[in-house]
Structure formats: structure tokens, C-alpha cells
Amino acid sequence: MIRTEEMLLNVGPQHPSTHGVFRLVVKIDGEIITEATPVIGYLHRGTEKLAENLQYTQIIPYTDRMDYLSAMTNNYVICHAVETMMGIQVPERADFLRVMAMELGRIASHLVAWGTYILDLGATSPFIYAFRDREMIINMLNELSGARLTFNYMRVGGVKWDAPEGWVDGVKEFIPYMREQIKGYHDLVSGNEIFLDRVKGVGVYSKEDAISYSLSGPNLRSTGVKWDLRKDEPYSIYDRFDFNVVTKETGDCLARYHVRLEEIEESLKILEQACEQFPAEGEILAKVPKIIKAPKGEAYVRIEAPRGEIGCYISSDGKKEPYRLKFRRPSFYNLQILPKLLIGENIANLVAILGAVDIVLGEVDG
Amino acid sequence: MSGEKDLDQLKREAAEKAKAAALAKRQAKAAGESQGAPKQEDKPSEQALNQDEKPAQTAQPAGTPAEDGADLAKKKAAAAAKAKAAALAKKKREGILEDEAPAPVEAAEETPVAAETSDGDDLAKKKAAAVAKAKAAAAAKRKAMELAAGTTPAEETPAPEAPAEVEASDDGDDLAKKKAAAVAKAKAAAAAKRKAMELAGGEAPAEDTAGATDETSAKAAAAAKAKAAAAAKAKAAAAAKAKAAGTGDADTAAAGDDEKAKAKAAAVAKAKAAAAAKAKAAGAAKGGDVSPGDTADQPSPNQPFLEKYRKVIEENLGSDVLEDSYINKLSKDVPTLVAKKDTYFKVAQFLKYNELLGFDYLSELHGTDFVTHMEVYVHLFSYKNRQSVALKVKIDRDEPTIESLQPIWAGANWPECEAYDLLGIKFTGHPNLHRILLGEDWVGHPLRKDYEPYDVEV
């Protein structure tokens, strides 16, 4: 007779499938998980505390380091919060540059999510393809901002640098290329039987659970909630573009996989339209005071980052530093549902479920 | 400046025809205002005619100097840009976001006012400080308000006459800057004093003597500040001074006593417009330092929602569960409810489960240490009604305890742990309240304003 007993298994904090320094203490009975306790905070740098002694422009580089896979949206959210408070109108060209940078960032982020997810499930080569294509985006963003990951590109009132000569053409050329690549991705992975067995019907949660657990982004849309802040609470110039909000109904890992891949295509649509409408010239920075002081009061804004809803709360007492700054980090919220999903699952599914949540630990820990 | 103009033009091109109606309306209003002060109107209009002939005649002149004003403001008065921005933001809130065409009008209406206002405000601030020393603070504040609100409408209330002043003040400003620098160098406090007298006399003639002397002392303080700053970085003080002086100069240069009287008379005649502008100016003045964006005269598009929430809550939970409720204009007009400490959970529960409200999604929860008290801020959203609401509760700082929302929204779990970890707010009824980010052995709560890092070796 086989004797089984409860076992405590420690996953992480140094484990490749946790995508960073994330620790998961799981109790397993045989191969079945009976309890899972996430332990986070290894990457906590106290951004919010530091920000209380920094001027608004000085905070922007810190946001690069939260979700370092899509730093552009993080840059945007703090600028957007301050602009909302001060009522600054961003010049059109700057808005276009911002949107294009953010959408390129979204594609890059989803490419990492896709590549590493497949890598977690055991296939190595898709990861290489994803990073090859991501590299092209990184190069474009590098041309724009001078940095590959920590862009520090946006400013309150606009952007720091104008697009270099021919940059928009480069983006234009990239769009059809990327569309072709996505077809290749589907050929490579989406129909693969082993892959489907690992993800189909795994890690399912309902629409109600998703909402109750404050999930957002692809994690929410995979359950059929048609909600995208770019579409439903348009900020910047997103209301000028025609794109779809991708939803899937099943709420499993496969649904999240497809939502991300299809969102790449939607982002390409936005990029295509943005390239067409891109104003030939114009200011890239609104007229803002040298010392930015948000008016006294508080504001909370939220925008759609690749991982969900990123929010920024500023409480200002009229000084040049925020009195209190708080980021709503989507990965932090999205990860909450993990213990619930893991209970009763096979230990082998742990990685599949965690990978599909698509977290960035810099963001989880703030 | 030209760049922005280009942008405006581009935007104007982009603006749809339908929005021209709004522009026309605005023009009509502006024209009505401008009749009161035709003399000042002349000056900017020549400039205006160059770029834009017929339709935007009032709009454009107002717009061009406004840009100057904005530039000036950028250089010297941050608040001006802020106010201009506030105007734009207001537009945004009004839902006229797309029609940028009339935006310059609004901006013009507000920027110069704000530029001035910020002066008044600066002055008022200094004055308030001075008075606080000598007199009761309350009286000073009232006076400061009087000054801020009083000078603004009298001198630059309506859009058309404002540009002239700003234009003039641009020149006057350079002069004033030099003057201010000279003053700082020579440390001629006496000159500053004289100027202050002049200014006090020129700018706020209605002021009583006490006010004037206060201002003088404030001026002296400013001079001292300029002196001190000149040693290291005279910028701020000098700018403030230049600004103040600029106002004075502008007064003498652009609007002599006659003209000013006229302007004042016009202001009186245009009681209606003036009242509106005053409110706006007051809003802008407050906006600089107190609470901006409180353009209370403009009902928010979310006002009906706030009314609805308030009504439903009052009908079901009684009239005394909410401490306060208002529209937070700074935060995209989100209806904000402030619950009492003992009704917080009840209100939250009601917000989620009431059929009319149905706030099923917790977007954000965090705490803030306001030194006098702690505050928990919750941003909720209803996917059914596509509406947001902010729920706040003030709690005692010495014993920060509040019910947990985790039983209502599972998503409140970690955010509450975070608030506990970083601020020490205890959430009762939370299933697993622990120090989620810093670890259990951490001493203190870093986001408290009196936090001192703990070091075993010290």
C-alpha cells in the first residue's frame, strides 16, 4: 500500500518559473496541492515612500522599475495623474508619441508573456522567436528614448524626446512584419496538442470571481468581461482609434494565452492608425511650469497597462512633492487569486497557472 | 509660443463644424463683455486681425495674449499655467474636450486672471504670514481673500480687457525683473518698501490702511527674501517680486487711473459677467494654493450620479451614515463619499449589494497618514452601471482600526495587508492580516509621516 503524507514544498524565491523573486509555499498531498501561500516583498523598494521626497519629474524613473516589461505605461500613469490634477492639455504630437510608445510596449510585454509562458511549459524555441521580435521593439523604443527598458521617456505635459528622423517609418515597416510573425506563433504553438493539454480547462475562474478578486487586463477579459480602459474610459487619444476589445469566455489559461496574442494584433491596429494620423510637426511638451506643483487635493487615475489596470493616486498639499503617492499595481492585485486557483490542482499545473497570470515581480512588490 | 499656436490651428482644423456653435456662443458672450471695455480691446485686436479675421475676433485676441500670458506665467508664475490648464481641464470635464477651438477663449479668460491672481495670492500669502504675527490669523485670511478676490475682478475680470494688461505687463515685467535684481543687489529694502506702498496704493485702492501696511511689511519680507535668495538663487524671490512689480507697472502703463476707473465701472456694469469671472478668479486663486479645480459654478457631469448614490444610501441606511459627499473635480469628477467610521462597512456592503448601485469591483484600496488622522481610500467600480465611486473614511491615528472589506470584495485582501504593513492600519475581520511586503520582523510603518528607520546598532 502506498502511504502518502502532507508535504511542504517551497517554490522560489529563486526559481525560473516564478519570473523573478517570488516564493510560493505549497502544501501537497501526493501530487495534489492542498494549500498555497504566496510570499512576496523580496523586491520591495519603497517607491511610494521615496516618492514623498521627490519632485514629480524625479519620480518617473522609479516607475520604470515597477513593471519593467512595459515601463511606458508606468511612465504614462504618473504623468497622466499629475496632468489630470493640473489640467494640462498634452500637445497632439506628444499624445501620438505616447500612444505609439505605449502600444509598442504592450506588444513587447505580451511577447515576453507569450515566450516565457511557453518556456515554462517546456518549449524552448518560441521563447527565442518572441525575444527576437521583441528586440526590434526594444530597438525602436531605444531610438525614441535612449534606453532599452527603463525609458524615463514621458514628462508631465508631453514627452522628453521627439521621434528621430524616419522613426515612424520604422514602426510602419514593423507592423506587417509582426502580423506575419503572429501567424507563425499560432502555427508553432496554438494548435500543439501537448500545449493544449497543459492549458485547456486549467486554472479556470468565473467572471464573478475575476471581478471580486479585482483582476484586470487579460486576466479579466479571458472570462468574457468586455472592459478595456482604452475603450471604455478613453484617456490620451485612444478614442481616435478603431480597435476591438479582445475577450474570451472560458476563463482558463488557454483563454488568457489567446487574449494576449490577439491583443498584440489590436495594438498593431492602433499603431497602424497612429502612424497614418501622426502629425508632421508640432510641440512635444506642453507649457508646464518649471517646478511642477500639483494643486492641493487628491486624484486617482487608472489606465490600461498590458497586465491590467494600473492606477496612480496622488494626494497633494500643493508642494512640489506629492504628499502621498500610491500605485495600483495590476500584478499585485492579479496575483491574489492564485492560492484559490491552486487548491486541488496537480502540482504540475502550478507553473501553467502562475505563468498565465503573467506577473512582473517588480510591480508586485512596488 | 508659435508652436502652440500651430497646434491650436491644427486642432482647430481638426475640430468639427458642430463645435463652431459653441464657439459662436462663447464669442457672443465675450463680445458682450468686451463692449464694456472697448479701449483695451483695441490693442490686442490688431494683432488678432492678422491671424484670424472674422469669426474668432474676440476669441483670437483673447487667445494670443493669453499665450503670452501663459509664457509669462511659465517663466514666473507657475500658477498661471496651472490655471490655464485648469480651464482646459474644466472644458474636458464639461465634455467639450474635442472642440479645442474655443479653448483659447477660455484660456484667455482665465490665464491673465490667474497670472494676476497668483500675484495677489502670493501677496496674500506673505501678507497672511505677516498678519499672523501681528494679528489674529482669521482676520488676515479674510483680508487675504479680499485682496485676492477683490483686486482680480476689478482689474482684469473680463477676457477682453485682460489681454491689454498682460501685454503691457510683459514689458513691465522685464523692467520689474531688472528692478528687482537691482534691489536684491543693492539691498535697498527702502525702495522695495516704497514700491510696496505704490503697489498697495495702485493695486488695491479699496484696501484700508491696515491692509496696506501689512502689505508693506510683506513687501519688505519679500525684499529680504530677494536679498537672501540673491546670494544663492534669486530666481524665485525675484520672480515673485518681478511679478508683483509687473502688476504694479502694468497698472500704471496699461491701465492708468482713468482707465482703471473705467474698467472698474465696466466691471460694475457687467455685474453678471464679473460675478462669473470673480467666481472663476476665486476658484483660480484658491486653485493656486487651496483647492483648485473647484469651479463650483459648473455642475459636474457626474453630479446626478452623486445625487443618486446619496439618495439611495439615505433612503436605505438613514441620513447620518455619510460624513460628506462631493464630486472630486481633480480626479476626473469621481463622486466621492466619506463614510463615518462606524458606518464604513455598512456603506461599503450597501454599495456592492444594492441593485441600483452594484459596485462589484474594487479597483484600489490604500491608506494615507494625514498626521491629524488616517484615511482609507477605496475606489470602486460597477461593471453593470459603468460608474466609479470613491469611498473614504477617516480613522483615528493613534488607534487606526477599521473593518476589513475583504469579506465583501476578495480583492481587498492584499491591499489591506499592504496598508497594515506600511501604515499600521488594523483591519478587523481580515482573514490573514500580515506584513505582506516588509516581513514580520520589520519595526515601524514606513509610510507614517513620523517614521524613523530602525537600526539595531543605533
Side-chain angles (χ1 to χ4, degrees), chain B residues 342-358:
Chain B
D342 50 345
T343 58
Y344 166 68
F345 186 80
K346 212 163 65 176
V347 171
Q349 207 170 22
F350 187 74
L351 285 174
K352 174 162 182 181
Y353 294 111
N354 183 278
E355 280 183 7
L356 288 167
L357 304 175

Side-chain angles (χ1 to χ4, degrees), chain A residues 60 72 75-76 79 98 101-102 152-156 158-159:
Chain A
I60 298 169
M72 283 295 183
N75 274 192
Y76 182 79
C79 294
R98 282 175 167 195
M102 280 194 285
N152 190 15
Y153 178 58
M154 294 185 198
R155 292 292 181 274
V156 174
V159 295

Side-chain angles (χ1 to χ4, degrees), chain B residues 19 78 146 151 179 374 394 417 447:
Chain B
K19 283 144 198 167
E146 221 172 86
T151 53
K179 238 182 236 171
M374 293 267 194
K394 290 182 177 129
C417 288
L447 283 182

Side-chain angles (χ1 to χ4, degrees), chain A residues 261-279:
Chain A
L261 273 188
E262 286 177 34
E263 275 189 9
I264 295 180
E265 293 177 41
E266 297 305 321
S267 289
L268 289 173
K269 274 190 202 167
I270 296 174
L271 276 176
E272 196 172 35
Q273 293 166 56
C275 284
E276 276 168 22
Q277 299 173 26
F278 191 73

Side-chain angles (χ1 to χ4, degrees), chain B residues 91-449:
Chain B
K91 296 216 92 59
K92 217 181 213 171
R93 281 184 220 114
E94 282 165 14
I96 330 173
L97 167 67
E98 292 93 326
D99 63 337
E100 275 96 340
V105 188
E106 182 91 4
E109 256 170 44
E110 242 170 81
T111 319
V113 171
E116 302 289 72
T117 307
S118 69
D119 298 339
D121 217 58
D122 253 55
L123 270 166
K125 229 188 202 164
K126 277 173 210 144
K127 193 175 123 196
V131 172
K133 268 177 206 163
K135 278 192 208 168
K141 213 169 192 176
R142 221 177 306 126
K143 200 153 270 168
M145 288 308 259
E146 221 172 86
L147 180 72
T151 53
T152 29
E155 278 161 24
E156 60 277 325
T157 342
E161 59 184 54
E165 195 143 330
V166 170
E167 219 165 48
S169 76
D170 211 353
D171 304 343
D173 214 82
D174 275 3
L175 207 123
K177 209 178 186 178
K178 274 176 223 146
K179 238 182 236 171
V183 168
K185 260 182 212 162
K187 303 179 181 186
K193 217 169 195 171
R194 222 177 308 124
K195 202 168 207 173
M197 286 300 239
E198 212 178 280
L199 184 74
E203 199 179 19
E207 278 288 304
D208 63 352
T209 35
T213 46
D214 287 339
E215 206 164 316
T216 320
S217 61
K219 219 61 251 244
K225 205 175 169 191
K227 243 191 274 172
K233 213 166 56 165
K235 237 190 211 165
K241 201 149 176 53
K243 245 192 302 164
T247 323
D249 286 0
D251 281 349
T252 41
D257 279 334
D258 279 18
E259 245 156 74
K260 213 164 113 195
K262 219 186 226 168
K264 228 174 242 173
V268 173
K270 290 171 282 164
K272 236 187 202 173
K278 204 177 196 170
K280 226 178 247 172
K286 264 192 238 157
D289 278 283
V290 189
S291 69
D294 63 345
T295 39
D297 46 326
Q298 304 285 343
S300 154
N302 282 341
Q303 191 69 33
F305 293 107
L306 178 68
E307 304 290 341
K308 179 183 143 196
Y309 305 152
R310 207 155 38 192
K311 188 165 157 266
V312 175
I313 288 171
E314 273 176 15
E315 274 171 7
N316 290 277
L317 297 176
S319 56
D320 56 345
V321 293
L322 292 182
E323 205 174 284
D324 196 5
S325 59
Y326 55 91
I327 295 278
N328 187 351
K329 294 229 174 194
L330 279 183
S331 182
K332 299 189 173 179
D333 287 79
V334 65
T336 307
L337 310 172
V338 186
K340 288 180 180 166
K341 194 178 172 244
D342 50 345
T343 58
Y344 166 68
F345 186 80
K346 212 163 65 176
V347 171
Q349 207 170 22
F350 187 74
L351 285 174
K352 174 162 182 181
Y353 294 111
N354 183 278
E355 280 183 7
L356 288 167
L357 304 175
F359 288 99
D360 47 2
Y361 174 77
L362 180 137
S363 165
E364 159 75 353
L365 185 151
H366 68 260
T368 307
D369 177 11
F370 282 107
V371 185
T372 52
H373 62 276
M374 293 267 194
E375 192 178 276
V376 174
Y377 180 99
V378 187
H379 191 97
L380 302 171
F381 182 74
S382 163
Y383 277 106
K384 196 175 70 181
N385 300 326
R386 307 255 145 157
Q387 249 299 311
S388 288
V389 73
L391 175 66
K392 302 208 295 181
V393 63
K394 290 182 177 129
I395 49 180
D396 184 22
R397 189 173 183 274
D398 298 324
E399 213 169 301
T401 314
I402 192 77
E403 284 108 320
S404 169
L405 297 186
Q406 198 275 341
I408 308 175
W409 293 278
N413 185 342
W414 285 14
E416 285 184 350
C417 288
E418 196 185 0
Y420 165 68
D421 192 359
L422 302 178
L423 282 153
I425 300 172
K426 290 185 184 67
F427 293 90
T428 53
H430 191 286
N432 179 26
L433 197 66
H434 66 291
R435 304 202 68 154
I436 191 165
L437 294 175
L438 300 175
E440 293 301 333
D441 53 352
W442 194 275
V443 179
H445 302 284
L447 283 182
R448 287 195 178 203
K449 291 292 175 183

Side-chain angles (χ1 to χ4, degrees), chain B residues 60-83:
Chain B
Q60 198 50 44
T64 337
E67 246 85 56
D68 292 353
D71 204 35
L72 171 83
K74 191 182 171 188
K75 269 184 262 151
K76 280 138 209 162
K82 213 185 268 175

Side-chain angles (χ1 to χ4, degrees), chain A residues 22 38 40-42 44 48-49 52 80 84-93 210-216 220 225-227 232-233 235 239-240 279 281 283 286-291 293-302 309 313 315 317-318 322-324 326-329 332-333 335-336 339 364-365, chain B residues 1 3-4 7 10-11 70-71 74 78 81-82 84-86 88-89 92-93 97-98 100 235 287 289-292 326 328 330-332 336 352 360-371 375 377 379 381 383 386 388 392 408-415 418 422-423 436-438 446-449 451:
Chain A
F22 171 61
I40 61 170
Y42 294 97
H44 180 67
E48 288 158 15
K49 178 71 180 169
E52 288 177 9
H80 184 50
T84 305
M85 288 181 92
M86 295 174 70
I88 293 170
Q89 183 81 13
V90 180
E92 196 183 25
R93 189 177 168 92
I211 292 173
S212 171
Y213 273 86
S214 296
L215 301 193
S216 53
L220 177 65
V225 180
K226 206 173 171 70
W227 178 258
D232 297 295
E233 283 183 7
Y235 51 92
D239 48 355
R240 298 191 192 182
E281 54 186 13
E283 295 281 304
K287 294 196 180 308
V288 290
K290 276 227 171 63
I291 306 278
K293 288 181 184 165
K296 195 173 176 195
E298 58 184 3
Y300 174 69
V301 299
R302 45 188 199 147
E309 181 183 307
Y313 168 89
S315 175
D317 51 359
Y323 183 80
R324 167 87 162 100
K326 173 76 168 70
F327 287 108
R328 185 226 195 254
R329 293 125 29 216
F332 179 75
Y333 281 78
L335 198 53
Q336 289 187 83
V364 171
D365 294 338
Chain B
M1 217 176 295
E4 193 156 307
L7 180 72
L10 276 172
K11 276 181 178 166
D71 204 35
K74 191 182 171 188
K82 213 185 268 175
K84 184 189 174 186
L88 286 166
K92 217 181 213 171
R93 281 184 220 114
L97 167 67
E98 292 93 326
E100 275 96 340
K235 237 190 211 165
D289 278 283
V290 189
S291 69
Y326 55 91
N328 187 351
L330 279 183
S331 182
K332 299 189 173 179
T336 307
K352 174 162 182 181
D360 47 2
Y361 174 77
L362 180 137
S363 165
E364 159 75 353
L365 185 151
H366 68 260
T368 307
D369 177 11
F370 282 107
V371 185
E375 192 178 276
Y377 180 99
H379 191 97
F381 182 74
Y383 277 106
R386 307 255 145 157
S388 288
K392 302 208 295 181
I408 308 175
W409 293 278
N413 185 342
W414 285 14
E418 196 185 0
L422 302 178
L423 282 153
I436 191 165
L437 294 175
L438 300 175
L447 283 182
R448 287 195 178 203
K449 291 292 175 183
Y451 172 73

